[in-house]
């Protein structure tokens, strides 16, 4: 592999509490009934306006709903500085895995996230990842997942071939995006959507824990072309 691309929410960071909290508060302010945890996590990964549109059962994006969510989420992120319940911690093994992979010659790391560039940069700055990821694709750069645009842009930036790239994610949108782009889809078992559904959509491998990824990449390198 020349390039491994990671999703953020549900894959590298556990942002469930703050995302659901912001959804519930946003819906309450607009007099809407939130459809519940499973539905709330099921749209994570989509571009924000499309995600909220689907969650609210609307026919088109609602600018007011999207703006309220941004305001609520920003306030909660500020609150998270003193409230551990709203923290966005790394999943176990993520820091160690990134350290191992970043030391591999010829391997570059990337991000493809439904977050805005501002939101992605906040996470990157928080965890000191500024020099770690060669390519960062966000909702500001390409059409919403599962459109393959984010991955195709990353491949072009790196100069990598699809068959030498893997996408690691926790949602149907990640796996469908990877399949559409012709890269290796790798699912994680701890994210916001059931791993079995990701396998059904084309995930070739499922990680039980993040420490398995370096070994999996070694195994992929020995597979016949």
């Amino acid at each position: 592999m020349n390039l491994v691309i990671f999703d953020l929410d549900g894959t590298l960071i556990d942002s469930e509490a703050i995302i659901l909290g912001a959804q519930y508060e946003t819906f309450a302010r607009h007099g809407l009934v939130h459809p519940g945890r499973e539905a709330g996590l099921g749209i994570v990964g989509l571009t924000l306006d499309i995600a909220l549109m689907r969650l609210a059962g609307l026919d088109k994006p609602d600018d007011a709903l999207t703006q309220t969510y941004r305001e609520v989420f920003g306030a909660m992120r500020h609150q998270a500085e003193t409230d551990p319940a709203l923290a966005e911690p790394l999943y176990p093994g993520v820091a160690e895995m990134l350290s191992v992979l970043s030391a591999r010659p010829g391997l570059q790391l990337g991000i493809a996230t439904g977050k805005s560039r501002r939101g992605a940069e906040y996470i990157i700055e928080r965890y000191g990842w500024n020099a770690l990821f060669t390519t960062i694709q966000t909702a500001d750069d390409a059409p919403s997942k599962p459109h393959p645009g984010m991955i195709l842009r990353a491949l072009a930036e790196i100069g990598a071939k699809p068959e030498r790239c893997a996408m690691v994610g926790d949602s149907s949108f990640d796996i469908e995006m990877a399949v559409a782009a012709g890269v290796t889809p790798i699912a994680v078992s701890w994210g916001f959507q059931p791993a079995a559904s990701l396998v059904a959509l084309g995930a070739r491998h499922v990680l039980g824990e993040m420490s398995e990824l370096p070994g999996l990449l070694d195994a992929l390198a020995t597979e016949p072309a």
Side-chain angles (χ1 to χ4, degrees):
M1 291 290 163
N2 295 139
L3 175 63
V4 179
I5 303 173
F6 296 92
D7 171 56
L8 284 177
D9 297 304
T11 300
L12 297 184
I13 59 171
D14 182 359
S15 48
E16 175 177 338
I18 192 170
I19 288 175
L20 287 180
Q23 288 179 4
Y24 277 104
E25 177 63 21
T26 297
F27 272 50
R29 292 189 185 187
H30 284 262
L32 299 171
V33 176
H34 191 283
R37 176 180 179 272
E38 182 176 350
L41 294 179
I43 50 82
V44 175
L46 293 170
T47 300
L48 180 59
D49 59 345
I50 296 175
L52 292 174
M53 175 190 74
R54 289 196 185 182
L55 191 61
L58 303 175
D59 295 328
K60 61 181 180 179
D62 185 316
D63 292 342
L65 193 67
T66 302
Q67 182 58 33
T68 298
Y69 180 91
R70 288 195 177 106
E71 293 171 358
V72 170
F73 189 90
M76 286 187 170
R77 182 164 269 171
H78 180 72
Q79 181 184 343
E81 295 176 3
T82 55
D83 183 357
L86 294 175
E88 298 170 273
L90 299 180
Y91 285 106
V94 166
E96 295 81 0
M97 175 276 301
L98 290 175
S99 178
V100 169
L101 293 188
S102 65
R104 290 193 171 189
L107 178 62
Q108 299 186 69
L109 307 180
I111 285 173
T113 177
K115 289 183 178 296
S116 66
R117 181 156 291 275
R118 180 180 179 183
E121 288 178 348
Y122 173 90
I123 295 297
I124 290 166
E125 180 69 27
R126 176 180 177 182
Y127 287 107
W129 291 343
N130 303 78
L132 192 61
F133 295 101
T134 307
T135 178
I136 299 169
Q137 305 299 324
T138 73
D140 297 336
D141 306 309
S144 177
K145 301 175 183 179
H147 188 282
M150 290 188 191
I151 292 179
L152 297 179
R153 282 175 56 92
L155 291 171
E157 288 183 6
I158 300 300
K161 296 180 179 180
E163 59 269 24
R164 303 195 70 176
C165 173
M167 173 72 207
V168 182
D170 74 300
S171 76
S172 60
F173 316 119
D174 296 319
I175 301 306
E176 290 175 321
M177 177 175 64
V179 171
V183 305
T184 301
I186 300 175
V188 302
S189 61
W190 54 82
F192 296 162
Q193 294 187 28
S197 66
L198 306 186
V199 172
L201 289 169
R204 287 179 54 191
H205 306 276
V206 178
L207 299 175
E209 54 187 41
M210 196 56 96
S211 62
E212 296 173 1
L213 182 56
L216 173 57
L217 296 178
D218 290 338
L220 290 174
T222 66
E223 288 187 353

